[in-house]
Amino acid sequence: MSYREFELSYGHQKIKFSIRDENLLGVIQAKKMSPLPNPRERVRESLRNPDNFPPLSEIIKPGGRIAILVSDRTRAAKSDLILSALLDELNSSGVPNEDIFITFATGTHHRHTREEQQQIVGEEVSEKVTLYDHVCNDRNNLKYVGTTSRGTRVELNRQVLEADRIILTGTIVYHYFAGFGGGRKSILPGIASFEAIQSNHRLVLNPGKGRNPLARTGILNGNSVHEDMVEAASMVNPDFLCNVVLNDDGELSGIFAGHWRRTHEKGCRFVDEHYRVKVSEKADLVVVSCGGHPMDVNFAQSHKAMDNASFILRDGGVMILLAECGEGYPSPEYRKWLKYRCKEEIEEVLRERFSIPGHTIYSAMEKAERFHIILVTELNPNDVHRLGLTPASSIEEALGIARAELGEAPSAYVMPRGYTTLGTVPT
């Protein structure tokens, strides 16, 4: 009897385990993407020759204030490299650093420390331009720009709106209800008010009952959450976009520069071509890692890997999710939703007052009803139980629980980077 050995990421560590060869249906991982050579120069080249769009130097001239929107610490985006090349190109066009500022598109996420800001953008960039965090509930720095057709009252960062030009940066990955990250998400939720973000994210629910089936991973057409974000971003009409795609080793493998919407959609197709893995059948068991830090920094981020893995697991099957969650939950509000006994109770409350933490807990409970999910994590075991999940202190313990339920020969998939990879079965 032969075994396949695996070593998956968990926080900053690696976890080793083995699966019988005869039980393994496959390893769900992205197509091989080679890193781009001379990445900094390739970024500058993309800024000079964007996708069916004027060069950056023709769009942004000296004399105005430039706002660059940057992903926060929960996103791996090579922001230091991108920003360094971006500043070089702007400086070469005659734009001085004192006319440029960076705003971290934090949405509802925690504010950064100065050290965290520097770590994201790199020391070189942090010494050249001023860095700001967006604060979604800072009423003095929010400005109303319009209401979407779906009723989202769009209030955005006043400082960014008052800039003469706006540049979007970030990374394109799958997102479990917006379809994909990147692009328009830098605006909403990135620099939006708390209320606008809640209103937009509420669209994940059907008008009547249950979840909107099109507000899911990898779907843009008909996805009301995405379409509402696009409508909000259109009110701003950002001047330029530079989004990237990273390979499984976190290396720069795709650069998409140009129009904020068209170029982002092209990047989404690129992600789908490389990160969507089609399989012929669902498995009894899926062992999935988020991909390590920062993808499993907290439960909200880790849940995205849980969602991506759910599409290739049969109903009643077992999922083992490796998610360190060293920071627990992004905010204390998540714990408040753990008092509810089932997703129906949460849905009732969400329809009255939508909450992102509440929806994350709702989504986890939704999957816990369909699958037995074992969480290898640092989260409090009592919290894990309240989610309807089973806590485990090690992969050995988790595999033992799975074997006791499924027998010694369950069919299995392994997903080394569930945060970025999507497994799908033909419908």
Side-chain angles (χ1 to χ4, degrees):
M1 186 181 299
S2 60
Y3 286 82
R4 174 84 174 268
E5 300 290 332
F6 292 94
E7 185 177 80
L8 301 189
S9 297
Y10 177 81
H12 295 286
Q13 310 170 47
K14 297 289 185 180
I15 288 181
K16 296 180 180 181
F17 65 97
S18 60
I19 298 282
R20 287 184 185 178
D21 273 328
E22 62 204 64
N23 300 342
L24 188 64
L25 293 178
V27 180
I28 309 301
Q29 53 191 354
K31 293 178 182 176
K32 179 66 176 177
M33 289 189 286
S34 300
L36 296 176
N38 304 313
R40 180 166 169 165
E41 187 55 39
R42 290 293 295 272
V43 173
R44 289 198 69 177
E45 178 63 25
S46 72
L47 302 176
R48 295 166 183 165
N49 297 284
D51 179 49
N52 195 28
F53 203 65
L56 183 66
S57 60
E58 291 184 13
I59 294 173
I60 298 182
K61 302 291 186 180
R65 289 281 284 164
I66 315 301
I68 304 175
L69 304 190
V70 177
S71 299
D72 72 4
R73 67 192 181 95
T74 65
R75 306 289 191 267
K78 291 290 183 186
S79 294
D80 54 345
L81 187 153
I82 304 305
L83 291 168
S84 178
L86 186 53
L87 290 187
D88 282 351
E89 190 64 16
L90 289 172
N91 293 162
S92 297
S93 300
V95 180
N97 289 328
E98 53 264 31
D99 287 347
I100 304 168
F101 66 92
I102 287 171
T103 295
F104 294 94
T106 55
T108 61
H109 296 175
H110 284 314
R111 297 181 69 174
H112 299 102
T113 64
R114 175 63 180 177
E115 290 73 22
E116 287 171 335
Q117 289 181 338
Q118 290 175 324
Q119 186 175 13
I120 293 168
V121 305
E123 186 173 349
E124 173 195 1
V125 171
S126 70
E127 292 176 349
K128 290 181 177 180
V129 298
T130 307
L131 311 177
Y132 300 98
D133 270 6
H134 171 66
V135 181
C136 67
N137 53 11
D138 179 4
R139 304 304 307 174
N140 292 326
N141 194 35
L142 291 168
K143 182 180 179 181
Y144 172 73
V145 296
T147 300
T148 69
S149 60
R150 293 174 175 81
T152 297
R153 190 174 189 278
V154 183
E155 295 176 299
L156 301 175
N157 186 290
R158 181 183 298 274
Q159 187 177 38
V160 172
L161 292 176
E162 290 175 350
D164 297 282
R165 298 292 184 183
I166 300 173
I167 300 173
L168 309 184
T169 69
T171 184
I172 305 174
V173 295
Y174 285 121
H175 189 277
Y176 79 106
F177 61 82
F180 294 85
R184 74 286 183 235
K185 279 185 95 260
S186 290
I187 302 294
L188 175 63
I191 59 165
S193 68
F194 178 83
E195 293 78 11
I197 296 168
Q198 306 302 308
S199 177
N200 169 262
H201 288 10
R202 186 182 291 114
L203 296 170
V204 75
L205 298 173
N206 270 331
K209 181 181 179 181
R211 178 172 173 165
N212 180 345
L214 294 178
R216 289 199 177 273
T217 308
I219 296 177
L220 294 181
N221 292 335
N223 184 334
S224 55
V225 177
H226 159 70
E227 292 171 351
D228 196 59
M229 290 175 175
V230 168
E231 194 173 341
S234 298
M235 297 174 184
V236 179
N237 197 24
D239 298 278
F240 200 85
L241 171 139
C242 183
N243 276 184
V244 300
V245 176
L246 309 182
N247 65 17
D248 274 346
D249 295 317
E251 300 165 317
L252 188 63
S253 294
I255 307 170
F256 297 88
H259 187 270
W260 67 269
R261 181 175 182 179
R262 295 192 303 269
T263 304
H264 174 253
E265 290 173 350
K266 182 176 181 180
C268 292
R269 292 191 292 271
F270 180 86
V271 168
D272 231 14
E273 290 168 5
H274 290 84
Y275 280 104
R276 184 185 293 267
V277 181
K278 298 177 182 179
V279 298
S280 60
E281 60 181 304
K282 295 186 178 184
D284 301 318
L285 171 68
V286 176
V287 182
V288 53
S289 162
C290 300
H293 185 86
M295 282 79 78
D296 66 353
V297 66
N298 57 46
F299 182 75
Q301 295 303 315
S302 300
H303 169 262
K304 296 171 185 177
M306 182 193 302
D307 196 77
N308 285 350
S310 69
F311 295 99
I312 55 171
L313 181 63
R314 67 166 175 81
D315 283 359
V318 176
M319 180 190 303
I320 297 174
L321 175 61
L322 308 180
E324 185 182 54
C325 301
E327 296 183 7
Y329 298 100
S331 74
E333 187 185 346
Y334 283 80
R335 290 184 179 278
K336 297 177 182 178
W337 292 89
L338 296 177
K339 67 182 180 183
Y340 296 101
R341 295 171 296 177
C342 61
K343 66 179 179 64
E344 286 77 15
E345 287 187 3
I346 294 181
E347 181 179 334
E348 186 176 342
V349 179
L350 288 176
R351 290 186 179 279
E352 294 179 1
R353 57 176 178 84
F354 191 84
S355 156
I356 296 169
H359 178 259
T360 301
I361 302 300
Y362 168 86
S363 297
M365 287 184 175
E366 182 182 46
K367 285 178 274 292
E369 289 185 0
R370 294 179 56 204
F371 317 112
H372 181 186
I373 300 176
I374 305 169
L375 198 59
V376 181
T377 185
E378 302 300 314
L379 283 176
N380 184 303
N382 291 330
D383 288 351
V384 178
H385 282 300
R386 290 191 187 103
L387 288 164
L389 315 178
T390 300
S393 59
S394 67
I395 185 65
E396 293 78 16
E397 180 186 356
L399 287 168
I401 296 170
R403 284 193 293 267
E405 184 169 331
L406 300 172
E408 292 295 325
S411 60
Y413 289 114
V414 174
M415 293 182 71
R417 292 179 64 88
Y419 186 96
T420 55
T421 311
L422 176 67
T424 59
V425 178
T427 55

